[in-house]
């Protein structure tokens, strides 16, 4: 594009009359300076939660999964709820870096780095649950298709649980590579600014000898494009396959054809909520308001309305079709969800996921940092309840009324969940101290198109 | 830059000939088998109504998503919406006169417990599937779809005349409201028009599956109109970069349609519940070749044809892809309508194709007439410069 033809109706994405040098300074500052008090407080709390989770996990390994509240009827409960919740949260990062890239959404450049980091950390947290639910995690390699001589049995390729093993490990690998690749030029920037030789050496290793030559950039862009192409179907596939874990069964409430796209929409919904939760804090603590502007917040809130509404339509569709199907088991499963003993979980889900995000229709609310923060927490909670509702309420009253039962978690299970939250935040806090939280090189590429000082004089195209 | 489309002699005559062919086909249909005639009327009218609806949906999405590149082509989807009022009127006529032949659930004796045809399952659905409520819904869809098409078009024309940001801002609001209503009605209308043909069968994904198919057909139709206008010299501002974007959309939504096709089919096949598999069983037993062809034409063909960057930037290849997609989704709608109405007694011949030609004639006519009413380039759109300088 020769010259700046960006429409005047678009608001600037970089505020504060930044120069390239100021951008480097602003974004490298958190890495180069000393951590402040808030960082240490957060770190200690997160790490404590993580340690508590590790203790609960160790206890589970030692004693067995009988320490959990899951029982014969409710065989999947808290752990799988958490698994799906974390996997869902892990969707925003790759969506932002791959799909929004295809849609040429420049605003993604301020948030993609942190969102991708979040993806990786969330997938780590998610993976723990099924790995430990097997009961004998030291035999988890049996999930891989390896020869019988190793003591395992050949895996069942008809099972969606196995598809999940492949889907999630592929997703994790590609996301990690994509994220790290994007980091290379920025790590080189940090390296070049390092004052101590040790730091320079470490960042030199981490940046894989990036020189910033034309050839480096050429290869970088080629690989980025290939990875974006790979990631796009992957974003859709992961939660699709998670939804198959449920939908291939014949359990009312689980077996429904809308599950694949509806799970994906829900995942993006929860992923964006978590990105907002984290970024609203990060922009404040790290003083990044010029880069993660109110416009970014507003745009993310629009995605929240969109995906929240898709999820809402899916809930209503499921409920309606359960009635319409004329299948009494389907009908009962849904009545039991809404009005049975777990009614509170259902209505928490409805309130948090369907009703609260609709508040973003008001411009005042979707441009308010405080309101956005609160609603993003609501969505995080709501999406947790969604998985709880789907999993527990569908199976706690099965086809045989004599086996009907209730489920409640033990403090061990709760402890593991708290531990994963601790792990997630610990990893994120470390990330914010060692890596640039904004894709610096990428963001610089749009400064002259969308920096506020470059937009001022451009009123003649309105 | 303010050129309007001038209707040529061919634009006036050819659609009329096509419509005449359509009338002959429909009359022949009624003379041979009225079930078949109604099925083909519903099939073709739904197909072109859905394409028209996608025109409006596409325009609404461009406003809400603040897309700049599509400004230069937006008069095409806008004009496609002009067919909606005819489509919805036909829908009403088809339902009023053809409902007994098309929709099994409209027969009264099914709801009479003393009748030997009493159907407890359909009796359970009668709160939703009953003639008065169906007609109310149909009218509501018509009002919403035609209404928003009109309002969005009105703002677009006001912008041409008066300029300023007001029409743009209003269009954003209208677009957002329309998308919400479309999000609900695209599903419910698919249940009404298509899913209720197989009265006992149900699938929660059906609405979204239908949407994916109609959206990709709408994109293909839009692409073909753009190619025609470009060839005739009305769109000098539309270059291969714009075509590339249209091509990407066609590619992406072909894959998306396949994703939903697979999700619906695989889950039903895997669970193997009798009340669900019956839908695919009929299609597999009596329509096997078409059913397999559907997947090949709508997935494999556009996937391979549109995969590379260069392919999406060439008119000739977009022509091929557009025709493949349109033909493929015509077949897809055929496979949603016919098995439930005709079962194993289906045929696919002059009656079906001739009716399609007739509806296509009407669609071409309304769209070209609408294109001739306003400049091909939206005159004062605030993002026009972005579209004119679009480069990817």
């Amino acid at each position: 594009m020769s010259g700046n033809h960006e429409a005047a109706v678009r608001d600037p994405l970089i505020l504060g009359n930044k120069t390239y040098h100021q951008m480097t300074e602003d974004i490298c500052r958190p890495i180069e300076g000393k951590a402040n008090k808030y960082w240490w407080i957060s770190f200690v709390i997160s790490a404590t939660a993580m340690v508590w989770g590790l203790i609960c996990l160790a206890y589970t390994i030692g004693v067995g999964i009988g320490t959990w509240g899951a029982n014969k009827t409710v065989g999947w409960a808290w752990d799988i709820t958490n698994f799906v919740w974390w996997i869902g949260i892990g969707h925003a990062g790759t969506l932002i870096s791959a799909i929004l890239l295809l849609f040429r959404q420049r605003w993604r450049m301020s948030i993609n780095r942190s969102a991708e980091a979040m993806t990786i950390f969330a997938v780590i947290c998610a993976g723990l649950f099924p790995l430990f639910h097997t009961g004998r995690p030291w035999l988890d390699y049996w999930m891989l298709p390896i020869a019988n001589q190793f003591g395992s049995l050949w895996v069942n390729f008809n099972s969606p649980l196995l598809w999940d093993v492949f889907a999630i490990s592929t997703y994790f690998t590609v996301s990690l590579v994509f994220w790290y690749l994007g980091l290379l030029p920025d790590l080189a920037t940090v390296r070049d600014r390092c004052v101590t030789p040790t730091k320079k050496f470490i960042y030199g290793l981490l940046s894989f000898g990036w020189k910033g030559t034309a050839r480096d950039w050429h290869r970088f862009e080629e690989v980025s494009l290939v990875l974006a192409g790979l990631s796009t179907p992957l974003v859709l596939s992961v939660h699709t396959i998670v939804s198959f874990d449920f939908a291939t069964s014949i359990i009312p409430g689980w077996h429904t054809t809308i599950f694949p796209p509806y799970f994906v929409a829900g995942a993006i919904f929860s992923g964006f909520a978590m990105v907002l939760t984290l970024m609203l804090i990060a922009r404040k603590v790290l003083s990044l308001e010029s880069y993660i502007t109110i416009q970014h917040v507003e745009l993310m809130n629009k995605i929240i309305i969109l995906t929240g509404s898709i999820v809402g339509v899916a809930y209503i569709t499921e409920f309606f079709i359960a009635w319409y199907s004329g299948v009494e088991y389907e009908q009962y499963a849904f009545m039991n969800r809404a009005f049975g003993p777990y009614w509170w979980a259902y209505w928490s889900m409805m309130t948090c996921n369907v009703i609260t995000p609709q508040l973003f229709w008001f411009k005042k609310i979707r441009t308010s940092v405080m309101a956005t923060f609160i609603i993003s927490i609501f969505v995080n909670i709501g999406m947790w309840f969604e998985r709880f509702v789907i999993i527990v309420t569908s199976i706690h009253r099965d086809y045989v009324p004599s086996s009907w039962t209730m489920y409640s978690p033990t403090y061990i299970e709760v402890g593991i969940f708290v531990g994963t939250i601790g792990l997630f935040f610990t990893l994120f806090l470390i990330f914010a101290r060692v890596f640039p939280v904004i894709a610096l090189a990428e963001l610089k590429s749009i400064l002259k198109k969308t920096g506020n000082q470059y937009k001022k004089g451009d009123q003649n195209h309105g | 830059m303010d050129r309007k489309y001038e209707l040529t002699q061919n634009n006036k005559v050819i659609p009329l000939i096509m419509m005449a062919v359509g009338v002959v086909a429909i009359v022949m249909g009624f003379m041979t088998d009225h079930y078949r005639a109604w099925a083909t009327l519903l099939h073709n009218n739904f197909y072109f109504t859905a394409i028209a609806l996608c025109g409006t949906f596409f325009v609404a999405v461009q406003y809400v998503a603040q897309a700049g590149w599509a400004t230069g082509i937006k008069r095409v989807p806008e004009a496609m919406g002009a067919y909606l009022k005819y489509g919805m009127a036909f829908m009403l006529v088809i339902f009023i006169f053809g409902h007994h032949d098309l929709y099994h659930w409209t027969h009264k004796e099914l709801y009479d417990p003393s009748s030997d045809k009493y159907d407890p399952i359909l009796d359970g659905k009668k709160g939703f599937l009953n003639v008065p409520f169906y007609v109310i819904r149909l009218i509501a869809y018509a009002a919403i779809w035609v209404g928003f098409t009109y309002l969005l078009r009105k703002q677009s024309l006001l912008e041409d005349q008066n300029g300023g940001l007001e029409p743009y801002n209003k269009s954003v609001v209208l677009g957002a409201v329309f998308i919400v209503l479309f999000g609900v009605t695209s599903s419910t209308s698919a249940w009404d028009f298509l899913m209720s043909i197989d009265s006992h069968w149900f699938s929660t994904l059906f609405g979204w599956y239908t949407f994916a198919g109609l959206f990709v057909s709408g994109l293909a139709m839009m692409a073909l109109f753009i190619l025609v206008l470009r060839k005739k010299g009305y769109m000098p501002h539309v270059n291969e970069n714009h075509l590339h974007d249209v091509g990407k959309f066609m590619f992406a939504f072909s894959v998306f349609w396949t994703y939903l096709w697979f999700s619906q089919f695989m889950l039903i096949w895997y669970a193997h519940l009798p009340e669900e598999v019956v839908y695919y069983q009929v299609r597999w037993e009596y329509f096997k070749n078409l059913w397999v062809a559907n997947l090949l034409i709508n997935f494999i063909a556009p996937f391979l044809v549109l995969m590379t960057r260069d392919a999406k930037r060439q008119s000739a290849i977009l022509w091929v892809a557009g025709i493949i997609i349109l033909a493929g989704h015509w077949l897809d709608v055929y496979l949603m309508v016919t098995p439930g109405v005709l079962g194993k007694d289906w045929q696919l011949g002059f009656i079906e194709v001739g009716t399609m030609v007739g509806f296509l004639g009407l669609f071409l006519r309304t769209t070209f007439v609408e294109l001739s009413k306003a400049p091909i380039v939206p005159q004062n759109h605030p993002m026009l410069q972005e579209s004119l300088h679009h480069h990817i």
Side-chain angles (χ1 to χ4, degrees):
Chain A
M1 195 186 273
S2 59
N4 192 355
H5 296 286
E6 197 180 82
V9 286
R10 293 191 200 277
D11 294 325
L13 288 169
I14 301 172
L15 301 177
N17 301 321
K18 297 293 178 190
T19 61
Y20 288 138
H21 178 66
Q22 279 172 322
M23 288 174 72
T24 312
E25 289 286 329
D26 288 346
I27 291 165
C28 293
R29 192 178 307 119
I31 310 169
E32 291 164 348
K34 276 204 161 45
N36 62 20
K37 187 170 68 183
Y38 299 107
W39 188 90
W40 279 110
I41 294 172
S42 321
F43 185 77
V44 169
I45 295 172
S46 309
T48 312
M50 181 178 77
V51 170
W52 173 239
L54 283 175
I55 293 169
C56 292
L57 211 50
Y59 185 72
T60 303
I61 298 170
V63 180
I65 52 171
T67 55
W68 295 356
N71 52 52
K72 213 173 158 191
T73 308
V74 188
W76 281 2
W78 187 268
D79 56 330
I80 305 298
T81 301
N82 294 326
F83 159 68
V84 181
W85 187 70
W86 276 120
I87 285 282
I89 288 169
H91 271 61
T94 318
L95 178 101
I96 291 168
S97 39
I99 294 183
L100 294 188
L101 173 80
L102 296 180
F103 280 108
R104 295 192 297 263
Q105 300 296 305
R106 286 169 180 163
W107 57 275
R108 83 192 164 83
M109 292 176 187
S110 299
I111 50 168
N112 66 351
R113 172 71 44 75
S114 324
E116 283 173 45
M118 230 185 68
T119 291
I120 291 156
F121 305 150
V123 175
I124 293 173
C125 293
L128 291 174
F129 289 97
L131 287 179
F132 286 92
H133 191 162
T134 58
R136 296 175 197 171
W138 52 91
L139 295 179
D140 277 349
Y141 65 94
W142 286 13
M143 286 188 274
L144 303 172
I146 44 176
N148 290 6
Q149 290 91 317
F150 288 93
S152 63
L153 286 175
W154 188 244
V155 290
N156 180 4
F157 280 101
N158 292 336
S159 166
L161 300 181
L162 181 71
W163 310 342
D164 239 356
V165 174
F166 299 133
I168 292 169
S169 46
T170 310
Y171 183 63
F172 181 75
T173 313
V174 173
S175 301
L176 185 70
V177 173
F178 201 5
W179 173 70
Y180 199 80
L181 184 85
L183 268 167
L184 289 179
D186 292 358
L187 287 175
T189 306
V190 177
R191 172 199 64 197
D192 296 344
R193 292 164 54 89
C194 279
V195 273
T196 63
T198 335
K199 264 193 161 181
K200 206 171 190 81
F201 177 71
I202 293 172
Y203 279 102
L205 284 182
L206 289 176
S207 60
F208 290 178
W210 177 271
K211 290 195 200 72
T213 59
R215 189 183 296 188
D216 282 359
W217 280 109
H218 175 71
R219 286 176 179 159
F220 176 84
E221 285 177 6
E222 293 281 298
V223 182
S224 299
L225 193 65
V226 171
L227 286 175
L230 269 178
S231 304
T232 305
L234 274 178
V235 184
L236 291 166
S237 77
V238 177
H239 234 58
T240 295
I241 290 172
V242 170
S243 82
F244 288 167
D245 293 346
F246 304 99
T248 50
S249 72
I250 51 166
I251 294 171
W254 283 13
H255 174 67
T256 176
T257 51
I258 207 170
F259 256 27
Y262 144 58
F263 263 49
V264 173
I268 294 165
F269 180 54
S270 65
F272 265 87
M274 190 57 103
V275 171
L276 277 169
T277 310
L278 279 184
M279 295 320 283
L280 289 178
I281 300 174
R283 79 192 274 275
K284 185 87 196 148
V285 173
L286 307 175
S287 315
L288 297 171
E289 284 98 338
S290 298
Y291 307 100
I292 302 164
T293 66
I294 294 296
Q295 197 198 168
H296 288 86
V297 175
E298 188 182 354
L299 290 168
M300 284 193 268
N301 284 337
K302 285 182 180 174
I303 292 193
I304 297 249
I305 307 184
L306 175 70
T307 48
S309 304
I310 292 176
V311 166
V313 168
Y315 292 161
I316 295 162
T317 301
E318 274 192 302
F319 217 106
F320 172 78
I321 297 285
W323 168 80
Y324 176 90
S325 71
V327 180
E328 62 178 318
Y329 307 106
E330 283 283 330
Q331 291 172 345
Y332 179 76
F334 280 87
M335 289 310 279
N336 184 47
R337 258 184 204 182
F339 306 109
Y342 285 112
W343 63 270
W344 46 270
Y346 183 82
W347 294 105
S348 305
M349 162 188 106
M350 276 298 200
T351 315
C352 296
N353 288 350
V354 182
I355 299 166
T356 46
Q358 301 302 324
L359 292 171
F360 285 142
W361 283 102
F362 300 103
K363 193 172 172 93
K364 212 167 195 161
I365 294 178
R366 69 171 182 264
T367 51
S368 150
V369 171
M370 204 54 203
T372 302
F373 186 73
I374 293 168
I375 293 175
S376 76
I377 302 275
F378 266 86
V379 173
N380 286 321
I381 296 171
M383 285 307 291
W384 190 89
F385 272 112
E386 180 197 294
R387 278 61 177 254
F388 184 81
V389 165
I390 290 172
I391 295 168
V392 174
T393 69
S394 301
I395 53 177
H396 87 114
R397 289 185 168 175
D398 61 8
Y399 289 109
V400 189
S402 61
S403 63
W404 285 9
T405 185
M406 294 292 285
Y407 161 81
S408 52
T410 62
Y411 73 93
I412 298 289
E413 284 172 289
V414 180
I416 296 174
F417 177 53
V418 172
T420 55
I421 295 176
L423 172 66
F424 180 78
F425 281 96
T426 307
L427 289 171
F428 192 83
L429 286 163
I430 294 173
F431 158 74
R433 288 280 297 132
V434 297
F435 291 152
V437 293
I438 288 180
L440 178 57
E442 212 179 347
L443 195 64
K444 280 179 178 172
S445 71
I446 59 166
L447 175 67
K448 293 204 167 161
K449 292 206 175 77
T450 182
N452 64 326
Q453 75 273 36
Y454 297 94
K455 292 218 48 132
K456 268 182 216 155
D458 185 43
Q459 299 295 337
N460 51 340
H461 296 310
Chain B
M1 286 300 276
D2 58 352
R3 240 179 113 192
K4 291 179 186 179
Y5 181 75
E6 285 162 38
L7 288 173
T8 60
Q9 196 58 27
N10 281 347
N11 288 144
K12 289 173 188 162
V13 177
I14 293 177
L16 284 178
I17 297 172
M18 292 169 82
M19 282 188 264
V21 172
V23 171
V24 171
I26 293 164
V27 170
M28 274 178 67
F30 277 105
M31 279 167 28
T32 49
D33 177 358
H34 55 94
Y35 283 98
R36 189 176 163 195
W38 285 120
T40 191
L41 274 173
L42 177 67
H43 162 212
N44 285 295
N45 188 48
F46 175 83
Y47 178 70
F48 285 102
T49 308
I51 287 176
L53 180 59
C54 272
T56 307
F57 176 67
F58 187 84
V59 172
V61 169
Q62 304 313 305
Y63 277 111
V64 174
Q66 292 186 353
W69 72 275
T71 309
I73 58 159
K74 88 182 248 288
R75 283 283 143 88
V76 173
E78 232 173 73
M80 280 162 55
Y83 177 79
L84 265 177
K85 49 187 179 290
Y86 301 103
M88 291 313 287
F90 278 125
M91 226 38 158
L92 194 63
V93 172
I94 290 168
F95 183 74
I96 289 172
F97 295 102
H99 63 271
H100 275 327
D101 288 357
L102 288 170
Y103 299 106
H104 174 65
W105 56 267
T106 56
H107 294 267
K108 280 208 176 62
E109 61 274 18
L110 301 168
Y111 305 94
D112 176 9
S114 60
S115 159
D116 59 342
K117 288 194 173 157
Y118 176 69
D119 188 327
I121 293 176
L122 289 182
D123 198 31
K125 301 185 188 198
K126 73 177 173 205
F128 183 74
L129 289 184
N130 62 70
V131 172
F133 189 28
Y134 188 98
V135 173
I136 292 171
R137 289 199 299 273
L138 214 164
I139 292 170
Y141 303 147
I144 293 167
W145 297 347
V146 176
F148 274 88
T149 304
Y150 169 77
L151 292 172
L152 279 165
R153 173 76 169 174
K154 192 176 132 194
Q155 291 303 327
S156 183
L157 297 182
L158 271 178
E159 189 177 68
D160 276 2
Q161 289 167 10
N162 307 336
L165 280 178
E166 201 190 323
Y168 175 78
N169 291 334
K170 277 192 180 162
S171 300
V172 173
V173 176
L174 283 172
V177 177
F178 176 72
I179 288 172
V180 172
L181 294 171
F182 177 86
V184 177
T185 54
S186 61
S187 277
T188 54
S189 65
W191 305 338
D192 282 336
F193 296 148
L194 302 177
M195 195 166 85
S196 79
I197 295 172
D198 297 86
S199 310
H200 292 93
W201 184 75
F202 57 91
S203 165
T204 42
L205 188 53
F206 193 81
W208 293 358
Y209 170 77
T210 310
F211 157 75
L214 69 91
F215 191 51
V216 74
S217 325
L219 292 166
M221 185 65 90
M222 186 177 91
L224 298 189
F225 268 102
I226 293 168
L227 293 173
V228 170
L229 291 175
R230 235 167 75 92
K231 191 155 186 231
K232 291 188 171 187
Y234 286 97
M235 283 190 159
H237 58 286
V238 172
N239 55 37
E240 61 273 25
N241 294 300
H242 300 84
L243 296 184
H244 190 175
D245 275 345
V246 175
K248 280 196 269 190
F249 261 115
M250 286 158 64
F251 178 82
F253 279 88
S254 289
V255 176
F256 185 67
W257 172 87
T258 312
Y259 165 59
L260 297 187
W261 183 94
F262 176 76
S263 299
Q264 180 167 276
F265 171 72
M266 194 281 279
L267 290 176
I268 288 175
W269 168 79
Y270 199 110
H272 206 54
L273 295 171
E275 64 269 28
E276 291 183 350
V277 287
V278 61
Y279 183 81
Y280 287 106
Q281 198 173 9
V282 175
R283 281 149 183 82
W284 180 250
E285 281 183 7
Y286 306 131
F287 295 81
K288 194 181 277 173
N289 293 336
L290 291 183
W291 188 79
V292 173
N294 185 25
L295 192 61
L296 296 178
I297 298 172
N298 287 323
F299 172 52
I300 305 289
F303 186 76
L304 294 180
V305 172
L306 288 174
M307 175 113 77
T308 63
R309 179 178 190 271
D310 290 347
K312 300 184 197 81
R313 298 170 74 89
Q314 285 173 25
S315 318
I317 293 179
L318 280 188
W319 265 109
V320 173
I323 290 170
I324 290 174
I325 289 172
L326 283 171
H329 286 277
W330 184 80
L331 177 65
D332 189 38
V333 178
Y334 178 80
L335 284 174
M336 291 197 268
V337 173
T338 317
V341 183
L342 299 173
K344 63 177 189 301
D345 303 320
W346 65 275
Q347 281 174 301
L348 182 54
F350 172 71
I351 294 177
E352 284 75 15
V353 176
T355 311
M356 184 273 282
V357 170
F359 276 95
L360 178 62
L362 181 62
F363 186 86
L364 290 176
R365 183 173 164 77
T366 51
T367 309
F368 275 122
V369 168
E370 195 77 352
L371 280 170
S372 71
K373 287 181 185 165
I376 296 293
V377 180
Q379 299 295 298
N380 298 311
H381 194 288
M383 292 187 179
L384 184 60
Q385 290 300 323
E386 283 189 14
S387 185
L388 298 183
H389 295 91
H390 183 47
H391 174 76
I392 46 176

